Amino acid sequence: NCDGADEELGVFLGDITIANDVIAETFCASYSTVAGSLTINGEGLSSMDVLDCLVEIYGDLEIDNGSHW
């Protein structure tokens, strides 16, 4: 398939904070796994659906949704 749809996404090495849709979309374009801790700040995300690429986290997961959703 030439469109890249069946390429496997990679592993992000290190800790990451996803605080808005742009960061989430950029992350999901290349990665599906975090080898580190993931912090999700919901104030800047339209919904959790933007992180539908996320498969595994090898570290801590912190979700701060504030009052957004």
Side-chain angles (χ1 to χ4, degrees):
N1 188 344
C2 294
D3 65 5
D6 49 25
E7 291 180 20
E8 289 189 32
L9 296 175
V11 176
F12 182 88
L13 302 176
D15 299 337
I16 186 171
T17 297
I18 296 180
N20 59 50
D21 288 348
V22 173
I23 296 170
E25 290 166 5
T26 302
F27 174 85
C28 284
S30 299
Y31 304 105
S32 64
T33 301
V34 177
S37 295
L38 171 62
T39 301
I40 298 171
N41 182 337
E43 290 292 331
L45 292 175
S46 58
S47 76
M48 289 296 286
D49 292 340
V50 296
L51 290 172
D52 63 354
C53 67
L54 191 59
V55 176
E56 290 182 285
I57 302 166
Y58 295 101
D60 295 327
L61 171 62
E62 180 180 337
I63 300 174
D64 177 14
N65 68 350
S67 59
H68 186 66
W69 351 282

